[in-house]
Amino acid sequence: MFDNSNQEKGVTVVDINKEMRDAYLQYSMSVIVGRALPDVRDGLKPVHRRILFAQHELSNTHDKPYKKSARVVGDVMGKYHPHGDAAIYETMVRMAQDFSMRYILTDGQGNFGSIDGDNAAASRYTEVRMTRLAEELLADIEKETVPFGPNYDDSLEIPTVLPAKYPNLLVNGSSGIAVGMATNIPPHNLGEVIDGVIHVINNPECTVDDLMGFVKGPDFPTAGVIAGREGIMQAYKKGRGVITLKAVAEIVQAKDREEIIVTELPYQVNKAKLIESIADLVRDKQVEGISDIRDESSREGMRIVIILKRGENASVILNRLYKYTQLQTSFGIIMLALDKRNQPVTFNLKNMLEAFVDHRRDVVTKRCIFELKKAQERAHILEGLKKALDNIDAVIATIKASKEANAAREALMAKFEFSERQAQAILEMRLQRLTGLERDKILAELAELMKQIDWLKMVLADVREIYKIIVDELQDIRKRYADTRRTEITGDMTDIEDEDLIADESMVVTITNTGYIKRIPVEEYRVQKRGGKGLKGMETKEEDYVNNIFTATTKTMLLVFTDKGKVYWCKVHKLPLGNRTSKGKAIANVVQLSNNEKVRAILPIDQFEENKYIVMLTERGIIKKTSLDAYSNPRTAGVIALTTDLDDAIIDCKISDGASDIFVATKEGMSIRFNEADVRPMGRTARGVKGMTLAKEDIVVGMEVFEKGSKDTILMVTQSGYGKRSELEEYRIQSRGGVGIITQKTTDKVGLVVGTRKVKATQEVILSTDKGQNIRMKVSDISVLGRNTQGVRLINLGEKEEMVTSLAVVDDEEVAGEEVH
C-alpha cells in the first residue's frame, strides 16, 4: 500500500518497476545514440566526429604543422566531449594506426603503438594533424550542409553529422557494443566502395548480387586472406554473416629443414600474443615438430619465422596452426548503424550505399542552395555598383549633398532605387573602383555570377544534376585516394583435415607389448633372403617386444580395439613417424584410452563400404560379426565393440563380405575353418557366439577371412622363427564351435604358434623378435608344406633373442621396383 501522507509532504510516489524500466531505457538509448553506434551517413561515432571537428576548428589540417595530441584532446574534452581524456586519446590513437584503420584519419607523429599490442606514448609526447582524406569528411561544413546542435553545456554548436564526401562507414568500418545490440562492420577498399555507390546512383534497381561485382568483400589493413564467399554474401544480403580470415604463410626450404614464413595476419590479431600462443602449443605438445620461432618483423613488413624439426611435414604443421591459433580467425559481420532518424537499423549492402547517396544528395542540395544564396547576394551588390558607375556623377553629387552617411544612403535609395545593401556598398566603394580596369572587373564578375546562378538554379531544379555532381566528386576522391586491394578472397572455405595435406604413402605400423606405436616408411625394410638374421628394429625395454605389425597408407583409418572390448579411431598419419630403431610413442598419447586398457587389435580401414562386416575373435574363441557401418562415426571417447568376459579379450579383427570362410589358429597349433554364414550379424555391444572349442591352456593367436575361390595360402609362424605355407584345401570345412584339426606341429624346437596370415606368392612378410630385430622376405621364398608339419627356419634368432613376437604382410604393389638384397 502507498502512503498517501507522503504526497501531502511534497514527496512523489512512483512505481519502482516503471521507474527502473524508464530509466534503463533512457540510459540504453543514450549509449546507443551517443556512444556505441556509428551514423550510417558519415560512418562516425560522436567521439570520432568531435575529434575531427575540433581539429577543423583548430585549422589542424594536413598542410599545417602538427599540434600536440594533448592540445587536441583538451579541446575535444573541454568543448564537445565531456568524458575522460584517456578515452578520447585512445580513440585518436586508433585513428592514426595503419594496422587498425584501412585509411587513417589522423596523421600521427611519435609512438602510436604497434601490432604487438604496445601502448602509444602519452599524449604530451605525440603530435597529430588531420589527413587529407579526413578533411574530405569535413569539406563544405561551413556551407550550412549539415545540421548543428548544442554541445553538452549549450555554449557551442557542434555538427550532428559530417558532410562526408565518401562512404566512410564501409571504407573504415566500425565496431561497438551498445545495450542489447552490437555493430561490427569490416573495412573495405575505397575504390571498390565508390564504384558500388556510383552503380547504385546510375542503376537504382540494382541488386546486392550486382553490387558484389564492384564491392568484392572486406579489405583489411593487415591484408590476410578471406576464405570463402558465403559469409560475405550473407552479410551483404542480410546484414549479418561470418567470414573466416587466414594469415598469409609460405613454406620455404632451408638448409636441412622446412620453415613457415608468416607475412600477413588476420585483422586485429596481436602478433606478440600469437607467437606466445604458438610457443604454448609447442610446450604442451599440442603441436609437435616446431623447433624455434623468430619474430623478424621490421619497417619493411611482417615476418614471423617458424622453424621446423628435420623431417617434419610443414603443410600439416601449418594446417594445425591454422586450426589451433589465431593464424585463422572468424570475423562476425553485423552491419548495424544509426539511420538519419537516429534509429538503430541493420543494413544490407545496398541499403547502406543508398543511405550514403541520400545523405550526399541532401548535402549537395544544401550546398547549392547556400552557394546560390551567396551568389545572388553578391550579384545584387555588383548590379548596384554597375548602376552606380553608369551614373557616377549624379551618385557623387548626391553623396556630397548629404550631411551624413545615413542621409546619403537614404538619398541614394530614394533617387536611384538602390536597396539598402546596394546603397551601403556604394558608400563603402573605394575611389579606385572608378578606373576603367576596375569597372571591367565588376562587369566580368557579374557576368560570371549570373552564369553560376543560372547553373545552380538548373541543378536545383533537376535531381539528376545533383547526382552528376555526386558522381564527379566520388570519381575525384577515387582518383586521388584509392589504392589496390590488400585482402585476398579465395574460394569456399572447407574444413581441411590433416590427411588432405599428406601424401598417400605406404607405412609399416608397429605396436609393442607395452603399447608403444610408430609408423615407418615401408622402404626402410629392405628385402632379405629367408633364414637371414634380419635388421635392427625398434629399441625396446627388456620386458617389451613388438607384438603387432601391419602395413597401411598414411590416410588409412585405424580402428583400435582394446582388451576391454572398446574401439577407438585414429588416422595413420597422426601416429609418430619413426625409423627402424626408434621407440615410438605410447599409444595412450595418440588414442584417448581409458584406465588400464591395452590395445589388442588394430584394423586398417580405407573406407566404410556397404555390405561389409567386422569379424571379431577373442582369446577364448568367442566370435562376433557386426556391420562395418556401425563404426563409421568416430568418437573421441571410443565405443563398445564387444562385450567380453572378465577372463577374455579381443585377439583379432578382420573385414569380411558376409559370405567368406573363417580360419582360426591357436597357440598350440590347432585350427578350424567354417562358413561365415554360421555367424549371424549382431549389434555393436553384443557378446558373440562360440567360434572354436579350445583346450584348457590353449588360446587363439590369429584369424583370417578367405573369400570364396581364394587361392591364398596360409602362413604359420612359430616363436623360434620357423614357418611354412599350407594350401587352404588341406583344411576341411567344419561346423562352428568344434575343436578343429592340427595346423602346425609345436615342439620344443619350433616353439608355439605366434600368428597366422593368408598370403600370396607375390607378397612379402616382415617378422619381428622380442629384441626389436626385423626381417623382411619374399613369401615365395617360404616353402609350401603339409598341414601337419613343423616348417622351415625363417629367421635366425640372436644370442639374446628368445622368440619371434609378430608378423606382417606387405602387399606386392607396395614394394614394386624395389631392389632385392
Side-chain angles (χ1 to χ4, degrees), residues 726-745:
S726 301
E727 300 289 349
L728 181 62
E729 286 72 18
E730 294 205 24
Y731 300 86
R732 69 181 187 275
I733 295 180
Q734 299 176 272
S735 297
R736 173 182 63 80
V739 296
I741 58 177
I742 295 174
T743 183
Q744 170 74 45
K745 277 193 175 181

Side-chain angles (χ1 to χ4, degrees), residues 38-106:
D39 193 300
V40 71
R41 295 169 291 178
D42 62 6
L44 300 173
K45 298 179 186 178
V47 63
H48 300 91
R49 191 177 299 117
R50 291 163 185 173
I51 288 172
L52 292 177
F53 184 68
Q55 292 186 83
H56 174 75
E57 293 296 283
L58 288 169
S59 296
N60 193 26
T61 54
H62 76 278
D63 53 352
K64 302 287 177 58
Y66 291 92
K67 294 187 185 297
K68 281 288 185 183
S69 298
R71 165 74 187 280
V72 177
V73 170
D75 265 31
V76 174
M77 182 172 59
K79 294 181 177 179
Y80 312 120
H81 198 67
H83 298 279
D85 58 334
I88 297 170
Y89 183 53
E90 286 174 7
T91 301
M92 193 162 66
V93 164
R94 188 178 183 278
M95 293 167 70
Q97 292 175 335
D98 58 5
F99 53 86
S100 294
M101 301 284 285
R102 182 61 178 85
Y103 300 90
I104 59 172
L105 301 178
T106 296

Side-chain angles (χ1 to χ4, degrees), residues 650-671:
I650 291 176
I651 189 65
D652 208 353
C653 301
K654 300 293 180 184
I655 298 292
S656 76
D657 59 7
S660 301
D661 288 343
I662 306 295
F663 177 83
V664 179
T666 74
K667 179 176 67 174
E668 295 182 352
M670 298 299 290
S671 67

Side-chain angles (χ1 to χ4, degrees), residues 528-536 769 773-775 794-799 801:
Q528 294 179 281
K529 293 291 186 179
R530 175 178 63 81
K533 292 189 66 176
L535 296 170
K536 180 63 177 174
T769 72
Q773 203 77 357
N774 298 307
I775 186 171
L794 303 182
I795 182 172
N796 286 316
L797 300 178
E799 293 182 1
E801 292 175 315

Side-chain angles (χ1 to χ4, degrees), residues 571-753:
K571 290 281 189 174
V572 169
H573 68 81
K574 292 188 176 181
L575 302 179
L577 180 64
N579 52 41
R580 290 197 319 272
T581 60
S582 62
K583 182 179 180 180
K585 182 186 291 186
I587 196 169
N589 293 329
V590 181
V591 179
Q592 296 183 14
L593 302 178
S594 301
N595 292 336
N596 301 320
E597 272 190 302
K598 291 184 179 180
V599 174
R600 300 304 298 269
I602 297 183
L603 189 61
I605 305 292
D606 290 321
Q607 65 180 93
F608 291 87
E609 301 178 63
E610 295 182 1
N611 302 320
K612 293 287 184 178
Y613 298 89
I614 294 180
V615 179
M616 289 162 271
L617 188 68
T618 73
E619 289 181 343
R620 298 299 178 188
I622 300 299
I623 192 168
K624 190 184 95 166
K625 182 172 71 174
T626 303
S627 172
L628 181 59
D629 286 342
Y631 302 91
S632 60
N633 296 318
R635 298 180 193 173
T636 304
V639 297
I640 296 294
L642 172 69
T643 301
T644 61
D645 296 334
L646 293 177
D647 62 343
D648 201 1
I650 291 176
I651 189 65
D652 208 353
C653 301
K654 300 293 180 184
I655 298 292
S656 76
D657 59 7
S660 301
D661 288 343
I662 306 295
F663 177 83
V664 179
T666 74
K667 179 176 67 174
E668 295 182 352
M670 298 299 290
S671 67
I672 188 171
R673 175 188 176 193
F674 55 86
N675 288 326
E676 184 184 343
D678 290 350
V679 184
R680 60 178 176 82
M682 301 180 184
R684 186 169 48 77
T685 59
R687 179 180 180 274
V689 295
K690 181 177 284 190
M692 184 178 183
T693 300
L694 306 179
K696 186 175 182 181
E697 301 297 328
D698 203 5
I699 61 171
V700 171
V701 294
M703 168 184 65
E704 284 294 347
V705 175
F706 288 86
E707 296 179 357
K708 297 298 182 183
S710 173
K711 299 299 182 182
D712 295 345
T713 55
I714 298 173
L715 172 65
M716 306 296 297
V717 177
T718 67
Q719 293 174 338
S720 298
Y722 283 79
K724 65 174 182 179
R725 288 191 293 149
S726 301
E727 300 289 349
L728 181 62
E729 286 72 18
E730 294 205 24
Y731 300 86
R732 69 181 187 275
I733 295 180
Q734 299 176 272
S735 297
R736 173 182 63 80
V739 296
I741 58 177
I742 295 174
T743 183
Q744 170 74 45
K745 277 193 175 181
T746 56
T747 64
D748 292 341
K749 175 183 175 182
V750 301
L752 299 173
V753 176

Side-chain angles (χ1 to χ4, degrees), residues 68-307:
K68 281 288 185 183
S69 298
R71 165 74 187 280
V72 177
V73 170
D75 265 31
V76 174
M77 182 172 59
K79 294 181 177 179
Y80 312 120
H81 198 67
H83 298 279
D85 58 334
I88 297 170
Y89 183 53
E90 286 174 7
T91 301
M92 193 162 66
V93 164
R94 188 178 183 278
M95 293 167 70
Q97 292 175 335
D98 58 5
F99 53 86
S100 294
M101 301 284 285
R102 182 61 178 85
Y103 300 90
I104 59 172
L105 301 178
T106 296
D107 178 9
Q109 184 168 262
N111 174 17
F112 279 83
S114 73
I115 199 170
D116 287 327
D118 300 320
N119 293 325
S123 61
R124 61 184 178 275
Y125 298 121
T126 61
E127 298 176 332
V128 294
R129 64 186 178 189
M130 285 193 293
T131 61
R132 287 174 178 261
L133 192 60
E135 293 171 28
E136 302 293 351
L137 293 173
L138 292 144
D140 303 323
I141 195 170
E142 71 283 351
K143 295 183 179 180
E144 300 177 359
T145 52
V146 291
F148 278 67
N151 68 341
Y152 64 92
D153 63 357
D154 293 339
S155 62
L156 296 169
E157 292 286 313
I158 187 171
T160 58
V161 66
L162 298 186
K165 276 192 173 182
Y166 63 92
N168 182 60
L169 183 55
L170 276 175
V171 167
N172 270 320
S174 184
S175 63
I177 300 174
V179 179
M181 61 186 68
T183 185
N184 201 27
I185 302 170
H188 290 73
N189 183 271
L190 177 63
E192 292 181 2
V193 174
I194 287 178
D195 290 342
V197 174
I198 293 174
H199 186 72
V200 167
I201 293 173
N202 294 332
N203 303 274
E205 302 301 321
C206 68
T207 64
V208 172
D209 289 327
D210 297 334
L211 290 173
M212 288 184 67
F214 300 94
V215 185
K216 309 295 184 184
D219 189 25
F220 298 98
T222 52
V225 175
I226 299 175
R229 292 182 169 82
E230 182 62 29
I232 299 174
M233 292 177 61
Q234 290 293 324
Y236 286 174
K237 290 182 177 181
K238 299 181 180 180
R240 290 176 179 266
V242 179
I243 60 175
T244 299
L245 299 177
K246 299 180 70 175
V248 173
E250 178 186 7
I251 297 172
V252 300
Q253 184 65 47
K255 292 181 181 179
D256 56 350
R257 65 192 70 197
E258 289 182 314
E259 295 178 349
I260 299 172
I261 311 296
V262 180
T263 53
E264 298 172 10
L265 292 181
Y267 186 50
Q268 295 176 330
V269 169
N270 184 307
K271 174 162 63 68
K273 289 184 178 179
L274 171 68
I275 294 174
E276 183 180 347
S277 69
I278 295 175
D280 289 342
L281 289 174
V282 174
R283 184 194 63 217
D284 298 338
K285 296 185 178 181
Q286 286 185 268
V287 175
E288 297 182 340
I290 296 175
S291 64
D292 194 16
I293 308 170
R294 294 199 305 263
D295 185 0
E296 298 181 358
S297 303
S298 64
R299 291 188 177 185
E300 282 69 41
M302 172 86 61
R303 183 179 171 87
I304 302 172
V305 181
I306 302 171
I307 303 171

